[in-house]
């Protein structure tokens, strides 16, 4: 994932913002490693002009959503650098997630909590073939809101996905 501190800062900024992750308090380094780096974690980096150098664009993880007999169903968590949102970084990470999740032996993915206010995330997962499986009413109390927000669960089976070509096959 590159620098642990860099990834941890990106996640903690999202936690502090309070509108896309369920945590209420920032994670220390041990907490970040235990949560985000417990299985497979990846980073996307950009390379700009010589004065800009290499820069963290986004991070994501892939890990089992459930233990034992259900560990073939994975989960993922994604964060794009705020200044780079809307530039295709999320889609790049989403496609990489599909590729690596299948290569790692997972059969499907279930995202447990995509808050209904996170429209870019909802559009991204739908564009990559994920389906809305369920809505959890009043799932989260997000920062700055008195009302609870719904969360959507997204599912994607990998049977029809060719991870070598990065394509869905009919």
């Amino acid at each position: 994932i590159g620098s642990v501190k860099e990834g941890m800062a990106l996640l903690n900024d999202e936690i502090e913002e309070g509108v896309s992750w369920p945590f209420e308090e920032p994670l220390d380094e041990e907490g970040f490693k235990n949560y985000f780096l417990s299985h497979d974690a990846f980073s996307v980096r950009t390379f700009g002009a010589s004065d800009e150098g290499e820069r963290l664009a986004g991070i994501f993880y892939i890990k089992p959503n459930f233990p034992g007999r259900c560990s073939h169903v994975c989960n993922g968590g994604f964060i794009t650098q705020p200044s780079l949102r809307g530039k295709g970084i999320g889609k790049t990470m989403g496609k990489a997630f599909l590729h690596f999740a299948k290569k790692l032996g997972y059969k499907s993915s279930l995202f447990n909590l995509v808050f209904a206010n996170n429209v870019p995330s909802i559009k991204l997962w739908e564009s990559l073939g994920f389906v809305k499986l369920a809505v959890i009413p009043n799932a989260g109390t997000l920062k700055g809101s008195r009302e609870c927000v719904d969360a959507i669960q997204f599912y994607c089976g990998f049977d029809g996905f060719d991870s070598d070509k990065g394509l869905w096959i009919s």
Side-chain angles (χ1 to χ4, degrees):
I1 195 167
S3 164
V4 170
K5 291 194 185 308
E6 207 176 11
M8 184 176 73
L10 190 57
L11 176 59
N12 282 336
D13 286 347
E14 286 299 306
I15 292 170
E16 289 288 337
E17 187 178 340
V19 297
S20 60
W21 285 74
F23 299 102
E24 292 181 328
E25 299 295 326
L27 302 178
D28 61 15
E29 190 169 328
E30 182 180 354
F32 175 73
K33 287 179 179 178
N34 289 337
Y35 179 77
F36 211 93
L37 305 179
S38 65
H39 286 76
D40 296 286
F42 304 85
S43 63
V44 174
R45 303 190 83 74
T46 60
F47 299 89
S50 60
D51 60 330
E52 294 175 11
E54 183 181 332
R55 182 174 172 208
L56 182 66
I59 57 175
F60 70 98
Y61 66 75
I62 305 171
K63 60 184 174 182
N65 206 341
F66 309 105
R69 291 182 178 93
C70 300
S71 62
H72 60 279
V73 179
C74 68
N75 189 349
F78 301 80
I79 306 170
T80 301
Q81 193 72 254
S83 64
L84 297 174
R85 290 181 182 158
K87 299 183 184 319
I89 304 296
K91 191 152 214 164
T92 297
M93 290 191 295
K95 288 179 178 180
F97 172 85
L98 291 169
H99 170 82
F100 287 117
K102 186 163 184 181
K103 287 287 190 187
L104 289 165
Y106 294 103
K107 305 294 183 205
S108 61
S109 177
L110 174 65
F111 295 156
N112 302 317
L113 294 171
V114 178
F115 291 120
N117 64 317
N118 193 342
V119 175
S121 184
I122 292 167
K123 288 180 179 179
L124 171 65
W125 300 125
E126 289 175 336
S127 79
L128 290 175
F130 285 73
V131 295
K132 289 181 182 178
L133 196 60
V135 174
I136 304 168
N138 301 311
T141 51
L142 305 183
K143 198 170 187 177
S145 176
R146 293 176 195 223
E147 302 293 320
C148 288
V149 106
D150 294 347
I152 301 164
Q153 291 186 325
F154 279 95
Y155 172 82
C156 183
F158 300 149
D159 284 344
F161 185 74
D162 183 330
S163 59
D164 291 325
K165 294 180 182 176
L167 301 170
W168 289 101
I169 299 170
S170 302

